[in-house]
Amino acid sequence: MRSALSTRPQHSIATRRLGRDAKGVVSALPGVEVVSDEPKEGQVPVKVNVDGRYTQSTYDRVVRELAASTPVVPGFRKAKGGKNALIPSKVVVQMLGQKRVSGFVVQTIVTDVLADWAKDEGLKVDKEAKVDQEQDVLLSGFKPGKPLEFTAKLNLQESEDATTSEGTNAEAATE
């Protein structure tokens, strides 16, 4: 008698360990889905869906970081130990402007998600990714607590092993 585990295809067990489902969706970060296509011309196209909880938590984290890094604001005392004052998030957003804060948040989401995905996949990619949507389109569609979708292309770095082995093969052919 065969067990239930032996009837499953081997690849589905391996992909489940990596956090992927049968469609190739990777969800290493909670609330984030990344779907990639096959690499073309040294680029990996990806489609990213970020849920509202992740956008809200990232927004809160970025506003906290901005508040901690602001210079002294009149009317707010410094915290103990000479640290910056604890400025309410609404005041920080009012000082910097909603569009600017949203720009910081979208940039943080894009870089964090793509960097974590590339690391989980074991890909060596350039630090700069090309997001297919314009910055204004992403910002106009961004609201903290609401889902965010974007597509991007990651440039693959050439591996040193491939160039080394090609050089070794060329040297062996000339001898």
Side-chain angles (χ1 to χ4, degrees):
M1 180 173 185
R2 296 178 70 166
S3 70
L5 285 177
S6 64
T7 60
R8 291 182 183 165
Q10 187 65 29
H11 70 280
S12 68
I13 294 170
T15 56
R16 198 171 307 132
R17 281 192 207 121
L18 294 174
R20 296 184 201 162
D21 63 8
K23 295 179 184 175
V25 176
V26 177
S27 55
L29 295 172
V32 177
E33 289 182 352
V34 178
V35 180
S36 66
D37 292 332
E38 291 297 318
K40 297 175 187 170
E41 300 172 5
Q43 292 184 332
V44 179
V46 294
K47 181 178 181 187
V48 180
N49 296 317
V50 182
D51 77 354
R53 289 179 305 203
Y54 189 83
T55 61
Q56 184 66 51
S57 66
T58 304
Y59 179 83
D60 294 341
R61 178 175 51 103
V62 168
V63 170
R64 252 190 332 270
E65 290 170 0
L66 289 171
S69 66
T70 58
V72 177
V73 178
F76 293 95
R77 286 188 188 180
K78 281 190 170 189
K80 289 184 178 179
K83 296 181 182 178
N84 285 350
L86 299 174
I87 303 170
S89 60
K90 288 184 179 183
V91 174
V92 172
V93 172
Q94 185 178 16
M95 285 174 29
L96 297 175
Q98 181 65 45
K99 187 173 182 178
R100 190 169 179 195
V101 171
S102 294
F104 287 132
V105 174
V106 169
Q107 181 180 7
T108 301
I109 289 172
V110 169
T111 55
D112 288 354
V113 167
L114 293 178
D116 286 346
W117 178 79
K119 181 181 174 187
D120 289 343
E121 289 294 305
L123 297 174
K124 292 185 179 182
V125 296
D126 292 340
K127 290 185 179 184
E128 295 295 321
K130 183 179 182 325
V131 178
D132 294 339
Q133 292 85 357
E134 293 290 326
Q135 181 77 6
D136 293 337
V137 174
L138 278 175
L139 287 178
S140 67
F142 176 75
K143 300 269 188 271
K146 301 288 183 191
L148 176 69
E149 292 183 9
F150 63 92
T151 57
K153 291 187 177 110
L154 299 169
N155 293 322
L156 294 172
Q157 293 178 348
E158 289 188 30
S159 66
E160 295 175 13
D161 297 337
T163 55
T164 306
S165 64
E166 288 174 7
T168 306
N169 291 341
E171 291 172 6
T174 57
E175 290 179 359

